[in-house]
Amino acid sequence: MNEPLPRLDAPGGTERRVPESRVPESRVPESRVPEHVTAFPAMLEDNIDDLYDSAPCGNVSTLLDGTIAKINATLLVWLGYTRDEVVGRKRFSDLLTVGGRLYHETHFAPLLQMHGEVNGVALELKRADGGRLPVLVTSVVKTGSDGQPMLIRSTIFDARERRAYEQELLHARRAADAERERLRGLIGGLQRSLLPDVVPTPPGMQSSAYYHMASADRIGGDFYDLFPLPSGRWGFFLGDVCGKGLAAAATTAAARHTLRTALAFNPDPAAALTYLNNVLYQDHDSPSHRHCTVILGTLTPAPGGCSITIAGGGHPAPMLLRTGGTLEPQPTTGGTIIGILPAPRIATRTFDMTPGDTLILYSDGLLEAHAGDRDERYGEEALQDFLVRLAPTSAAAAVTALTELLATLGRLDDDVALLALSLDDTAPTG
Amino acid sequence: MRGMDVRARNHVTFTGREHGPVVMLAHGFGCDQNMWRLVTDTLGEQSRVLLFDHVGAGRSDLSAWDPDRYATLDGYARDVLEICRDLDLQDVIYVGHSVSAMMGVLAAAEAPELFAGLVLLAPSPSFIDDDGYRGGFSRDDIDELLESLDSNYLGWSAAMAPVIMGNPDRPELGEELTTSFCRTDPSIAKAFAKVTFLSDHRADLPKVRVPTLIIQSAVDAIAPPEVGEYVRDRIAGSRLVTLAATGHCPQLSAPQATAQAIAAFVAERR
């Protein structure tokens, strides 16, 4: 059995009063009684009533109807009232601001009633002079020996510092939100600057493109373009620089302009791609070096349609959807990734497009999209099944269908670029 | 079909005696139908008790919340009528707490044929003092309240409730709070507060033609005693019962007395 604890005001307590002419601690030899033990009797001097009254927190006890029955001096000083103005005259909710009073009535009191205690609720006290004091209130219901509620005891902590701190946190949060929005705006703008504003349309054809950013916070490395060349020919490409972020963006910008320049000098796609390889390879020892995969093509109008020559380096096969409903993948098998070898292998192939045909270029972010909730990737086979059902289609319709497909796929880890070209059914020849 | 929608929209639940008279309990500002939990057993002995959450509160369908529809109490009163009609309820005894008392006044004025009686628990037709009328709050008070809502103070408190009550030893406390009790979306709570505290439906009181009982606490920090008398004096044939209870929520602070007063009124109506 536990013995009752000694009362702080028990007889004898005063006999252990600390001598006023106590030897300063620094002079007390090691063998003497430590200071905290000699100070302990001073603790016993701490009067329980004084502790209640001048505690560093507000203490208030109310009847169940909220009438204030007992209140300590600390809280009276905070509020600016005398004891007589409050005890038996005011209810706890009278001390609160209107918002606090409503919160007290509609939330605090029901919770206290339900649980018998409510901890650390933020309220504001209204001082006698009209000022406000943010506080944290903890209340418990004190029950009698019969278990019936008798009164409510509340402890009130000055929360000015904490409220100021919370305001700081709120401001910091808002500032961070604004910064993130700004950053996203910058990244989105930078991403757009790496792509043509509008994809031009060759005569007798349709063109369409789409770019999906996997992350609004990181710039991706996919790129595409479509542009006129001398003699009625057109150049186009779609590529994917490895990695993300600013280094990838720099390589993306370089690749796009290098390819446009190279095709302007030399209309052979393989030569242009080799030229890009050599440019990227110049930095192969540098930490900022990036490689890429690309499909680069030229389009030459021909009687009854056009002739396409593509060169590829490590990029997924473009898909040619014939107007009759067949799907003809155009792989550039054997082409190596651009920028990692001093002498790359570039695979080329040439095919014709006739009216109603649609050519679709895409980046591998599409193939690597997570299908639904599962871990498996979407893959080329699923893409082919999807595309063959679209035929006959057009550039715009195919890109719209693929965009909708992307929305239904689960997680997209990587950016996705799409570029489609289609020959109008009534395309003029030559 | 529509009945199913209304049930889900307002999270309608039934308890009590299946073939008893229908007692429809409408919660007020702040919490949800759990506010009634201490009176449903007593009421359910004789009555079929219908509980529901206003759209935006408790487990109502938050997607049904529409700032235009719920910009006035009429939108909420329409919900009450839709629940009665879609569930094909008759001779309903509507019990509205606080702001919901006025929803009942509006609903009964529009469709008295649906209601056998109204119980207005701690009602207030207008919270703002006016010439010869004491609503309990000055216009400045209400402006201050709305300001504090604008600074999201109350919303913050509500959002903090799960944290405040987070008690590793008794996780069910935090769980209960977050899943049902007093859970309100802060932006909806703010809109509801504006409707609640800026509405003035004093002129609608005389339109009530169904038997009406007014119940109030002797001490209520939100609706002063004069308000109960004011309501009684303007609804023909109504009665006022003042409970020896404290607070704006007598169904929590004096559940037995509240339930008995409602049950006696229900028994008279049969």
Side-chain angles (χ1 to χ4, degrees):
Chain A
M1 297 297 287
N2 290 330
E3 283 185 10
L5 289 170
R7 287 171 50 182
L8 288 181
D9 57 354
T14 52
E15 290 170 17
R16 293 193 293 264
R17 181 187 292 276
V18 179
E20 287 179 6
S21 58
R22 214 176 71 220
V23 180
E25 187 188 19
S26 59
R27 295 193 199 159
V28 176
E30 289 289 311
S31 59
R32 298 276 295 273
V33 180
E35 195 263 351
H36 70 271
V37 174
T38 59
F40 190 66
M43 301 278 292
L44 299 180
E45 281 299 279
D46 200 354
N47 180 284
I48 195 84
D49 292 332
D50 187 51
L51 176 62
Y52 175 86
D53 218 30
S54 31
C57 62
N59 290 316
V60 59
S61 302
T62 69
L63 306 182
L64 294 176
D65 70 0
T67 305
I68 293 170
K70 192 169 174 173
I71 184 167
N72 75 345
T74 304
L75 189 51
L76 287 170
V77 168
W78 287 355
L79 290 167
Y81 287 118
T82 64
R83 199 173 300 273
D84 290 345
E85 287 172 312
V86 173
V87 172
R89 290 174 185 273
K90 284 189 186 295
R91 294 194 168 79
F92 181 67
S93 60
D94 295 334
L95 304 179
L96 301 174
T97 57
V98 177
R101 204 187 318 162
L102 287 164
Y103 186 76
H104 183 269
E105 286 291 316
T106 56
H107 293 77
F108 193 98
L111 285 171
L112 186 60
Q113 206 271 342
M114 180 188 245
H115 300 302
E117 63 177 74
V118 172
N119 293 318
V121 169
L123 291 170
E124 271 192 331
L125 297 183
K126 200 161 67 178
R127 299 160 50 114
D129 64 5
R132 305 297 147 97
L133 179 68
V135 292
L136 292 175
V137 179
T138 292
S139 293
V140 294
V141 176
K142 159 84 174 162
T143 51
S145 54
D146 59 353
Q148 287 301 306
M150 285 170 54
L151 47 86
I152 297 164
R153 288 174 172 163
S154 301
T155 309
I156 295 167
F157 289 96
D158 178 354
R160 280 173 299 184
E161 294 290 330
R162 177 173 149 158
R163 190 65 55 85
Y165 175 61
E166 285 164 359
Q167 288 296 331
E168 289 295 314
L169 282 180
L170 206 60
H171 291 318
R173 163 86 181 268
R174 286 191 187 130
D177 284 347
E179 277 304 299
R180 192 169 62 240
E181 281 310 303
R182 200 176 68 86
L183 183 64
R184 288 183 167 190
L186 280 175
I187 287 169
L190 184 54
Q191 185 86 66
R192 284 190 297 279
S193 77
L194 298 176
L195 301 168
D197 290 335
V198 180
V199 196
T201 308
M205 299 190 74
Q206 265 193 28
S207 63
S208 185
Y210 175 75
Y211 195 96
H212 172 83
M213 283 180 79
S215 160
D217 298 329
R218 295 198 70 194
I219 189 161
D222 290 4
F223 59 97
Y224 59 80
D225 210 346
L226 171 65
F227 48 95
L229 292 171
S231 318
R233 298 166 70 242
W234 289 75
F236 62 88
F237 54 78
L238 187 147
D240 180 358
V241 172
C242 76
K244 285 177 173 290
L246 285 178
T251 303
T252 302
R256 181 179 168 210
H257 293 291
T258 300
L259 288 176
R260 284 184 72 132
T261 308
L263 271 190
F265 273 111
N266 184 343
D268 173 25
L273 213 46
T274 306
Y275 184 65
L276 173 63
N277 180 82
N278 296 345
V279 169
L280 296 185
Y281 188 72
Q282 287 164 358
D283 293 326
H284 74 278
D285 285 336
S286 154
S288 65
H289 171 254
R290 295 286 183 277
H291 56 262
C292 65
T293 67
V294 190
I295 293 289
L296 169 69
T298 55
L299 180 158
T300 309
C306 64
S307 171
I308 304 267
T309 299
I310 59 170
H315 200 82
M319 297 288 170
L320 179 61
L321 259 177
R322 293 297 189 186
T323 189
T326 55
L327 178 73
E328 297 175 11
Q330 303 292 334
T332 49
T333 312
T336 53
I337 289 171
I338 305 301
I340 56 169
L341 295 173
R345 275 199 318 276
I346 307 290
T348 62
R349 67 189 294 150
T350 297
F351 53 92
D352 293 329
M353 281 177 73
T354 55
D357 291 351
T358 303
L359 179 68
I360 298 159
L361 280 70
Y362 54 91
S363 59
D364 64 358
L366 173 60
L367 301 180
E368 289 171 8
H370 291 267
D373 301 332
R374 292 158 296 170
D375 271 344
E376 69 190 70
R377 306 292 178 140
Y378 185 63
E380 190 169 325
E381 199 176 322
L383 178 64
Q384 291 190 17
D385 287 348
F386 179 83
L387 290 176
V388 79
R389 288 197 296 272
L390 294 181
T393 185
S394 66
V399 167
T400 301
L402 285 167
T403 306
E404 288 167 4
L405 170 71
L406 283 174
T408 65
L409 291 175
R411 207 172 70 240
L412 291 171
D413 296 333
D414 202 357
D415 288 19
V416 177
L418 301 171
L419 175 65
L421 286 166
S422 60
L423 217 58
D424 294 345
D425 260 340
T426 53
T429 57
Chain B
M1 175 81 178
R2 278 180 66 218
M4 291 298 288
D5 291 341
V6 168
R7 275 176 183 248
R9 181 187 70 188
N10 288 102
H11 187 55
V12 174
T13 59
F14 283 99
T15 183
R17 207 155 70 93
E18 196 175 340
H19 298 293
V22 175
V23 173
M24 181 175 192
L25 302 178
H27 71 85
F29 173 74
C31 293
D32 57 31
Q33 58 182 265
N34 283 293
M35 286 293 275
W36 299 106
R37 70 194 181 285
L38 300 183
V39 297
T40 46
D41 281 355
T42 302
L43 293 176
E45 286 168 14
Q46 296 300 323
S47 310
R48 185 179 184 211
V49 178
L50 184 161
L51 294 152
F52 71 100
D53 294 333
H54 291 305
V55 170
R59 293 166 71 186
S60 66
D61 181 359
L62 292 187
S63 69
W65 196 80
D66 170 352
D68 293 329
R69 180 181 174 105
Y70 299 109
T72 65
L73 291 185
D74 299 275
Y76 292 98
R78 265 163 64 198
D79 284 2
V80 169
L81 293 176
E82 284 174 13
I83 292 170
C84 294
R85 290 188 174 127
D86 290 4
L87 300 181
D88 204 16
L89 305 176
Q90 282 160 353
D91 299 327
V92 174
I93 307 268
Y94 175 94
V95 184
H97 174 228
S98 187
V99 66
S100 292
M102 288 307 120
M103 298 172 195
V105 164
L106 296 174
E110 187 178 326
E113 71 280 3
L114 290 175
F115 299 96
L118 281 187
V119 179
L120 311 180
L121 184 60
S124 178
S126 176
F127 287 93
I128 300 176
D129 297 338
D130 196 6
D131 278 346
Y133 174 79
R134 186 175 165 231
F137 296 90
S138 69
R139 179 70 212 200
D140 286 349
D141 286 340
I142 297 296
D143 285 344
E144 183 197 315
L145 163 71
L146 297 178
E147 237 172 68
S148 71
L149 286 166
D150 277 335
S151 67
N152 205 25
Y153 162 62
L154 290 183
W156 178 85
S157 298
M160 286 300 285
V163 180
I164 289 163
M165 293 300 292
N167 184 335
D169 301 329
R170 296 179 64 191
E172 74 279 5
L173 287 188
E175 179 69 10
E176 179 171 15
L177 280 169
T178 48
T179 54
S180 60
F181 196 55
C182 295
R183 186 186 70 169
T184 318
D185 178 280
S187 62
I188 296 178
K190 186 170 142 183
F192 193 23
K194 282 194 170 140
V195 182
T196 301
F197 297 108
L198 292 179
S199 291
D200 181 351
H201 288 285
R202 284 177 289 170
D204 292 301
L205 295 175
K207 298 177 190 166
V208 174
R209 293 277 178 258
V210 301
T212 299
L213 172 69
I214 300 145
I215 303 176
Q216 65 179 14
S217 294
V219 178
D220 183 338
I222 292 184
E226 297 96 307
V227 175
E229 290 160 17
Y230 182 94
V231 173
R232 177 198 60 199
D233 294 345
R234 276 156 190 81
I235 297 181
S238 66
R239 275 191 296 131
L240 169 63
V241 170
T242 301
L243 304 176
T246 299
H248 190 56
C249 307
Q251 72 270 53
L252 288 176
S253 57
Q256 270 313 308
T258 305
Q260 280 160 12
I262 297 171
F265 179 74
V266 173
E268 289 169 24
R269 304 270 76 72
R270 300 191 65 190

